[in-house]
Amino acid sequence: TQLLEQSPQFLSIQEGENLTVYCNSSSVFSSLQWYRQEPGEGPVLLVTVVTGGEVKKLKRLTFQFGDARKDSSLHITAAQPGDTGLYLCAGGERGGGADGLTFGKGTHLIIQP
Amino acid sequence: KAGVTQTPRYLIKTRGQQVTLSCSPISGHRSVSWYQQTPGQGLQFLFEYFSETQRNKGNFPGRFSGRQFSNSRSEMNVSTLELGDSALYLCASRLELGLWDEQFFGPGTRLTVL
């Protein structure tokens, strides 16, 4: 069974600060996705990374896939209260295949005004 | 394009009862996956349906079952409900892009078992 460990589990910071969330595994994934979930709603896909070493930017969010495709990070610059939510990483075991995604347990992020 | 829809949004049942949840994927998506989300275990994969056939199954007891119809709509059924089945049940519509695929989630059905 593949596992994804996310850290930290909880993070509360002030508006304007920077932060990094990590997603680590001992297994190789063909793709890795980051989602953001708000209370009572389903996760919303933010980005998919598929190439080792890949970096993608989405406004103030920067996503990186490790060279060995076993880990990923999400960096938020100048965090804002609207960034508050549960951030989930999910690994795909093989491309275009039939397997479900393996999810980390998430990072609960609170940005205080 | 309309997103993934799930009905009902909230459900309260008692132990021993059964429940059926419904999911309509994004138009054109043929694959539907179901997940259970709880505070302790996070998101766990239940099963996936593609073209009316179960293609993969997670590690859940046989009380959890599903099916998919010819219009790609899917239903999930849980029989003999237990207190531990209380969770947010999420349906995801999958877009297969060749080397990888992306999943788009519905808002979920919040099931409470009393």
Side-chain angles (χ1 to χ4, degrees), chain A residues 9 30-31 33 35 37 40-45 47-48 50 86 88 94-105, chain B residues 9-10 33 35 37 40-43 45 48 55-56 88 90 94 96 98-108 110:
Chain A
Q9 189 177 355
S30 62
S31 66
Q33 298 171 1
Y35 292 83
Q37 185 178 22
E41 297 296 328
V44 175
L45 179 65
V47 77
T48 301
V50 298
L86 175 65
L88 295 158
R94 57 189 175 95
D99 303 325
L101 291 173
T102 300
F103 278 85
K105 291 194 176 182
Chain B
R9 289 294 309 274
Y10 303 92
S33 296
Y35 292 84
Q37 186 177 29
Q41 298 300 318
L43 266 150
F45 174 69
E48 185 213 1
R55 191 158 67 167
N56 200 27
L88 181 67
L90 292 160
R94 293 176 67 166
E96 296 182 12
L99 295 180
W100 73 92
D101 54 46
E102 295 182 340
Q103 300 201 15
F104 300 89
F105 285 85
R110 171 71 63 185

Side-chain angles (χ1 to χ4, degrees), chain A residues 28-93:
Chain A
V28 175
F29 289 99
S30 62
S31 66
L32 199 135
Q33 298 171 1
W34 285 92
Y35 292 83
R36 178 169 163 265
Q37 185 178 22
E38 297 193 21
E41 297 296 328
V44 175
L45 179 65
L46 296 174
V47 77
T48 301
V49 284
V50 298
T51 305
E54 183 176 3
V55 177
K56 279 192 174 179
K57 292 194 175 183
L58 186 65
K59 296 183 180 178
R60 295 177 292 101
L61 279 60
T62 302
F63 305 85
Q64 185 164 8
F65 202 11
D67 291 339
R69 291 188 287 130
K70 293 182 179 181
D71 54 83
S72 181
S73 64
L74 158 60
H75 182 80
I76 300 179
T77 304
Q80 298 177 2
D83 295 327
T84 293
L86 175 65
Y87 288 82
L88 295 158
C89 66
E93 294 184 24

